[in-house]
Amino acid sequence: MKVQKLDDSVINQIKYHLYFNSIDTIVETILQRCFSSNATKISIKVDLQSVAVFIQSNDVGYTPDQLEELANSEKFGGLEVVSNITIVSKSKEYKCPYKTTPGKTFLAQLCNETDLKSSYFKPGPIGDHGTIYIVSSIFNNLPVRQAQLKATPIYKIVNDVKLALLKVLFRKTRVYVSLELYNSQKSTFEEILSTNAASDVKLLRDLYDIEIQFKPVKATFKSYRIDGIIGFQTISSKIHQYVFINNKLKSLSRTDNATLNNIFEDFGEQDPSPRKKMIHKYPTFLISITCDKDVTEGSYSWLVVLDILKRIFTKFVRIGQSKQPTNKHEITFSPSPKRAKTDKFILNTNVRWGGVNNREIEGMVGCGKSQYSKPQLQPPDTNKTTHKCDHDHVTHKLNEYEHIQFDRLHLQKYRIIKQIDKKFILLVIDFKLVVLDQHAADERIKVEELMQEFVTNMPRNLRLAQPIRIKVSSSEHLLLQQYRTNFKFWGIIYHSDAENYDLVITNVPELFINTSSDAHFIKSILIQHCYDLQNNIKSQIFEATSSDWFTIMHHVPQSITNLINSRACRSAIMFGDELTMTEMHQLVEKLSRCRLPFYCAHGRPSIVPLVNLHSNE
């Protein structure tokens, strides 16, 4: 068998097909070229129906010779391989524009600007200089990829393009960019964002409609320079967490992301009510790091960067509260009561917002192996009892050689001894002495009963006498429209106001009836479920039958699950409730029929094995 090397042209085609695999990669490539030609104003128009992109820039433009050189080289990155691209450009040296089509005709030809204006994407006047990029028939030679693109939710494509804009516009000033999306129903392009990238805060707000307050942070450590912004309030998504290293966006691993997010637990919470626990909240930050190191995943330099970030974020949380500052430049915050125990260095430092100096960072950053190795489990103490719960069984280790294990089937064979301290029930199950937490057990029973009732009766809901009107951003509007069918399945029905982006909610599940007057809370739980679907935490594709309630339960919106958990907890048997022998038997019988009997809705074990009573023969 003979192996031959592919032709260079074939290799290049494969390379370009791999790189240009989405609309955002095309937009990013063209924008980079615009800025390299000193553009200060750029208009982007995207037509997802015909799969085309139109970009007009006021850059210095190309002469006919430069256009021909561009069309005959690989300087444009091979866009002609995955699309039909036409470049129309005018430089100050010529009185009229010229055009060329890389991949088809390499000669620069005169272009009639009047004919150009008659096209449906309606470019603006070129003026003394500028360039127009017409990228059409994208992925036409790749029908599977084009089909995948057309099946991709609009909001996801738009968000990917916004991320490309963020990467290109980061730390660029005196530049204006607008993005328009084609509306096939109205046969026109509609602007969905515009920005002048005046600052990091302005850029984030313009791109993503993030209406929270940010505070600048700065730090230096050796050759590392860190500056950026952190939000005072948390939001429903963790996608707006950006770390640029030497002006290139760094992709955070799941572990690093979780580490940084855990620092902000409960930070910026303004809702004192228990319902705040029903909504996930995450910090928003945009951090820029410059250094003379090669920062790659897992490298020593990255460990230093990660440690500096953890120190800065920890300090930000410790001195910050979710109050609006009274002074833009300097504010000293006291630690919140929950975080009163802080190290002496933090407490004794006169902290100023906007700066963390080298002296404060020096000595705090360490990159020893012990700091970054995964947590190691301590060897088991054979003199102590450890406990492990999972869905189907409980294992209790008494010593190195002996285990107690039983599953939910064993709950059908039991003997109750007595109630202890009006909190626990002592009983024997399969020759094992165990203690049952009466509150956790009854909570588990009620959770499964309520969940089964909810799923079985879907989509039972109530029509509101007064519909809830919620103001949403353009990004949120696209997201909510994408998942409207899924919300309807759970009993939440809404539509958009034809005149603006207002969301009008007409029906909600019965569980929401006590919270239906709180528009802010309702919006938060809707947006959270959208992000859970977007990040595949929840699925909208499953067998939706009432007999399969346990499977469907895992895809119920988190807000509904939390409401059911809360209702079950409040109505369950409490510590201090005295139970008769009959009531204790009923409790164990019901628990034996549960699908997940060994822990409550909040993860607390319901049964703890104590000792194996089986005699060794």
Side-chain angles (χ1 to χ4, degrees):
M1 182 177 179
K2 187 177 180 181
V3 178
Q4 289 183 319
K5 181 183 176 181
L6 294 173
D7 293 336
D8 290 341
S9 60
V10 177
I11 293 175
N12 285 335
Q13 284 197 17
I14 295 174
K15 179 177 66 175
Y16 297 142
H17 282 309
L18 289 174
Y19 179 73
F20 293 113
N21 55 13
S22 58
I23 295 292
D24 56 286
T25 54
I26 294 173
V27 171
E28 184 177 352
T29 298
I30 297 177
L31 289 183
Q32 293 285 10
R33 177 154 289 279
C34 292
F35 285 120
S36 67
S37 299
N38 302 322
T40 59
K41 185 177 181 180
I42 300 174
S43 171
I44 307 167
K45 297 181 179 181
V46 178
D47 181 356
L48 296 178
Q49 187 172 16
S50 63
V51 196
V53 172
F54 311 96
I55 297 180
Q56 182 170 0
S57 165
N58 71 339
D59 55 36
V60 296
Y62 297 98
T63 65
D65 290 341
Q66 289 171 334
L67 272 179
E68 291 176 1
E69 181 183 357
L70 183 64
N72 282 279
S73 69
E74 294 186 5
K75 290 183 179 179
F76 211 80
L79 260 177
E80 70 280 357
V81 175
V82 297
S83 66
N84 294 332
I85 177 170
T86 298
I87 306 173
V88 179
S89 190
K90 179 182 178 182
S91 68
K92 287 184 177 181
E93 302 174 25
Y94 291 80
K95 294 183 178 180
C96 56
Y98 284 78
K99 69 176 181 180
T100 186
T101 304
K104 292 186 177 180
T105 173
F106 301 117
L107 297 176
Q109 301 172 343
L110 280 171
C111 176
N112 189 328
E113 197 169 349
T114 303
D115 294 339
L116 192 63
K117 290 179 180 179
S118 64
S119 58
Y120 83 103
F121 70 95
K122 293 180 173 55
I126 296 180
D128 294 336
H129 54 85
T131 305
I132 298 174
Y133 302 91
I134 305 170
V135 188
S136 60
S137 302
I138 299 174
F139 305 140
N140 255 11
N141 54 350
L142 297 170
V144 174
R145 182 173 295 177
Q146 191 175 65
Q148 290 175 338
L149 179 64
K150 290 187 175 181
T152 303
I154 294 176
Y155 79 87
K156 188 178 186 308
I157 299 175
V158 171
N159 280 349
D160 289 342
V161 172
K162 288 181 178 181
L163 183 60
L165 289 176
L166 177 66
K167 291 190 288 186
V168 174
L169 295 176
F170 181 65
R171 295 298 164 88
K172 287 184 173 64
T173 57
R174 295 186 296 276
V175 57
Y176 176 85
V177 176
S178 65
L179 174 63
E180 298 179 27
L181 196 63
Y182 188 70
N183 187 328
S184 57
Q185 296 178 343
K186 298 180 180 179
S187 299
T188 185
F189 285 90
E190 296 179 338
E191 184 176 276
I192 59 176
L193 72 87
S194 62
T195 181
N196 59 8
S199 65
D200 293 346
V201 173
K202 185 75 164 56
L203 185 58
L204 282 184
R205 286 179 176 171
D206 290 344
L207 291 180
Y208 299 108
D209 303 304
I210 302 176
E211 292 300 329
I212 63 174
Q213 191 170 21
F214 290 91
K215 198 67 187 179
V217 292
K218 291 183 180 180
T220 59
F221 175 70
K222 296 183 178 179
S223 64
Y224 298 89
R225 300 291 181 269
I226 302 96
D227 71 285
I229 53 175
I230 305 176
F232 264 102
Q233 294 84 32
T234 50
I235 62 175
S236 299
S237 171
K238 56 183 175 182
I239 64 173
H240 300 307
Q241 301 176 353
Y242 309 102
V243 176
F244 285 83
I245 300 180
N246 294 328
N247 289 331
K248 291 186 178 180
L249 186 62
K250 167 72 176 176
S251 178
L252 298 175
S253 69
R254 180 175 297 183
T255 302
D256 294 341
N257 188 273
T259 299
L260 298 178
N261 277 284
N262 288 339
I263 297 173
F264 287 84
E265 183 181 4
D266 294 337
F267 178 76
E269 285 291 351
Q270 295 177 321
D271 184 1
S273 66
R275 74 175 57 164
K276 72 177 182 180
K277 298 296 184 181
M278 301 180 184
I279 303 171
H280 299 154
K281 291 291 185 178
Y282 304 96
T284 298
F285 54 81
L286 191 156
I287 305 295
S288 174
I289 300 166
T290 57
C291 60
D292 56 2
K293 310 290 184 182
D294 183 18
V295 183
T296 57
E297 186 69 31
S299 66
Y300 178 83
S301 299
W302 170 242
L303 297 182
V304 173
V305 167
L306 187 61
D307 204 1
I308 294 174
L309 288 177
K310 289 192 291 186
R311 301 291 183 177
I312 293 174
F313 288 175
T314 300
K315 191 165 188 177
F316 183 91
V317 169
R318 284 175 175 173
I319 66 175
Q321 294 179 357
S322 58
K323 297 179 180 179
Q324 293 187 354
T326 57
N327 187 299
K328 290 185 178 180
H329 304 289
E330 178 179 333
I331 283 190
T332 301
F333 287 103
S334 300
S336 61
K338 183 174 181 179
R339 302 183 184 274
K341 293 182 179 181
T342 55
D343 60 271
K344 294 181 180 179
F345 180 84
I346 295 294
L347 284 177
N348 294 333
T349 301
N350 182 20
V351 179
R352 297 188 176 189
W353 286 112
V356 181
N357 61 37
N358 190 71
R359 182 183 62 81
E360 292 172 332
I361 294 293
E362 190 73 54
M364 297 173 66
V365 178
C367 294
K369 291 182 179 180
S370 60
Q371 285 186 299
Y372 297 98
S373 59
K374 294 182 178 179
Q376 300 295 321
L377 296 177
Q378 295 295 327
D381 188 342
T382 56
N383 297 321
K384 294 184 180 180
T385 302
T386 58
H387 168 246
K388 176 185 177 183
C389 284
D390 64 21
H391 291 189
D392 298 315
H393 68 272
V394 171
T395 301
H396 207 67
K397 189 168 183 179
L398 296 177
N399 54 53
E400 189 174 354
Y401 306 102
E402 183 180 8
H403 291 77
I404 287 180
Q405 180 172 320
F406 57 89
D407 57 33
R408 61 191 180 95
L409 295 177
H410 289 129
L411 288 175
Q412 299 173 1
K413 300 176 181 179
Y414 66 91
R415 178 166 60 88
I416 294 176
I417 299 176
K418 62 179 295 186
Q419 185 184 28
I420 301 175
D421 197 26
K422 298 181 182 180
K423 298 177 180 177
F424 306 100
I425 299 174
L426 192 66
L427 65 161
V428 176
I429 300 177
D430 192 35
F431 299 103
K432 301 169 182 65
L433 185 66
V434 304
V435 62
L436 182 146
D437 182 324
Q438 64 187 40
H439 174 72
D442 197 36
E443 182 180 306
R444 165 50 54 187
I445 294 167
K446 285 180 166 52
V447 159
E448 295 202 9
E449 289 176 346
L450 290 170
M451 184 62 75
Q452 186 172 9
E453 178 187 2
F454 174 79
V455 172
T456 303
N457 294 302
M458 286 189 312
R460 186 169 68 185
N461 57 30
L462 298 174
R463 185 172 182 85
L464 298 172
Q466 183 66 37
I468 306 170
R469 183 175 290 270
I470 298 174
K471 188 71 176 177
V472 297
S473 66
S474 58
S475 300
E476 293 168 340
H477 177 263
L478 289 173
L479 200 60
L480 289 162
Q481 292 308 306
Q482 175 65 31
Y483 296 119
R484 182 164 55 180
T485 302
N486 184 262
F487 280 109
K488 186 177 181 180
F489 178 78
W490 304 115
I492 303 172
I493 301 176
Y494 56 79
H495 65 269
S496 298
D497 191 309
E499 297 181 357
N500 48 44
Y501 288 128
D502 284 2
L503 197 73
V504 181
I505 303 173
T506 58
N507 297 65
V508 296
E510 293 181 50
L511 288 168
F512 283 12
I513 199 63
N514 293 327
T515 61
S516 59
S517 60
D518 190 341
H520 178 74
F521 176 70
I522 294 294
K523 176 182 176 180
S524 297
I525 61 180
L526 294 180
I527 296 299
Q528 177 185 315
H529 186 57
C530 286
Y531 284 122
D532 285 346
L533 291 170
Q534 180 182 351
N535 297 324
N536 297 318
I537 297 173
K538 301 287 185 179
S539 174
Q540 57 179 340
I541 303 175
F542 49 84
E543 187 68 25
T545 61
S546 58
S547 60
D548 193 28
W549 70 270
F550 186 71
T551 299
I552 298 176
M553 178 186 74
H554 300 292
H555 307 291
V556 170
Q558 189 61 43
S559 55
I560 294 177
T561 300
N562 291 336
L563 284 169
I564 289 175
N565 291 347
S566 178
R567 179 175 293 185
C569 182
R570 292 196 306 270
S571 61
I573 296 170
M574 297 295 178
F575 278 174
D577 290 347
E578 187 173 358
L579 303 178
T580 65
M581 186 61 70
T582 301
E583 290 171 333
M584 287 188 282
H585 275 287
Q586 291 175 344
L587 186 66
V588 178
E589 290 289 343
K590 289 182 179 179
L591 188 65
S592 69
R593 294 193 291 270
C594 288
R595 301 290 292 269
L596 305 175
F598 296 116
Y599 57 90
C600 75
H602 300 97
R604 192 171 75 185
S606 59
I607 296 179
V608 177
L610 298 178
V611 66
N612 195 338
L613 300 177
H614 197 284
S615 58
N616 296 322
E617 297 181 358

